[in-house]
Amino acid sequence: MDLTCTEEERDFRARLREWLGKTLPELPARPSPDDWPGRRAYDLGWQRRLHDAGYAGLHWPVDAGGRGATPTQHLIFLEETERAGAPYVGANFVGLLHAGPTIAAEGTAEQRARWLPPVLRGDEVWCQGFSEPGAGSDLASLRTRAVRDGDAYVVTGSKIWTSHAEVADWCELLVRTDPQAPRHRGISWLALPMDAPGITVRPLRTLAGSAEFAEVFLDEVRVPVANRVGAENDGWRVTMVTLSFERGTAFVGEVVACRRTLTRLARTAQANGRWDDPVLRRTLGRLHGEFGALWRLTQWNVSEAQRSGGVPGTGGSVFKLAYSHARQELYDVAAEVLGADCLSLEEEWTLDRLSSLSYTIAAGTSQIQRNIVAERILGLPKGR
């Protein structure tokens, strides 16, 4: 891994910093967390600004509409946008970080041309239809069925924890196309138009009171066969590509955010008299070291993805496992420092702490990540 900045990359940082300084003050006010149509419009508006300035899909391959940036440029972009307080991907995260990269890696030329430009321009939002009520961590046991009928699949079943389904145009959908095949075979990856007849979306309210997830019910929904990414019954392999992006590179911007939060927390402790506690100082120092190590691991994962054609490897599971627990501990310490101020749902700290509780479940539970690390990295035998 060589992430030494070249003169070109230093110029890239300076230009990006200048652009952010001019652009961020022009942004409209952020909408209310409960205003999902408003949040969609806000997030798409930010994506359009990135696109028009040449920063959309920065690290995507050039033939997928991206700029083919170096790993260092990608990381510079993440550092500078987070430090400047720029909007995150928001409602665009499935399209930009999961579905889009999967289509770029596995889709046909026609599929790339249809779906990738609208994601990069900020025209369309995607959601993720993987988990089901009985198939969360054990994703391969999914039961949503797709029966071939001429040039379409007829899909029946349900999904849960479908991120941003209420404002999405498309859904990356896993379906069972061969119920007789072994569990990990007989699955296909489809692009589902969310305005198709037979779809019902029911928002789910989280512990923090937000509703970015939903249940999705599919009643004989017709999906064109042309919307299948990868071969029929090869969806599990395609899904592993999607999950490698979800675990390997989708969280990298949040590491920068957590490092910034840690600095704010230390300053708060100094201001409110908690800094005299040696146990607290040691905990903050250790977390500083952990997030520094996670950033180095992020750099390694991004570089590894670049060398392997853009698809992250199993190192993403190491990152996801360590990051989930470090983030939870960070906000546990925040509650300790802030005391009663953490009890108000109006406080940003409180919402972030409640959100952190989901990280050992989202994108594959910590138990699943440990299995992946044990079997695919350490070469240990599979458990019975």
Side-chain angles (χ1 to χ4, degrees), residues 194-242:
M194 290 298 289
D195 60 355
I199 299 177
T200 301
V201 176
R202 295 180 186 170
L204 295 169
R205 195 158 294 279
T206 69
L207 180 66
S210 60
E212 64 263 32
F213 301 118
E215 294 178 286
V216 175
F217 299 91
L218 305 144
D219 184 11
E220 297 189 351
V221 179
R222 296 185 69 85
V223 181
V225 172
N227 287 18
R228 187 190 67 232
V229 175
E232 185 171 282
N233 300 327
D234 192 32
W236 187 254
R237 184 190 63 79
V238 178
T239 301
M240 292 303 100
V241 173
T242 304

Side-chain angles (χ1 to χ4, degrees), residues 162-175:
T162 309
S163 306
H164 302 318
E166 65 272 23
V167 293
D169 303 290
W170 293 91
C171 176
E172 51 175 358
L173 184 72
L174 291 188
V175 295

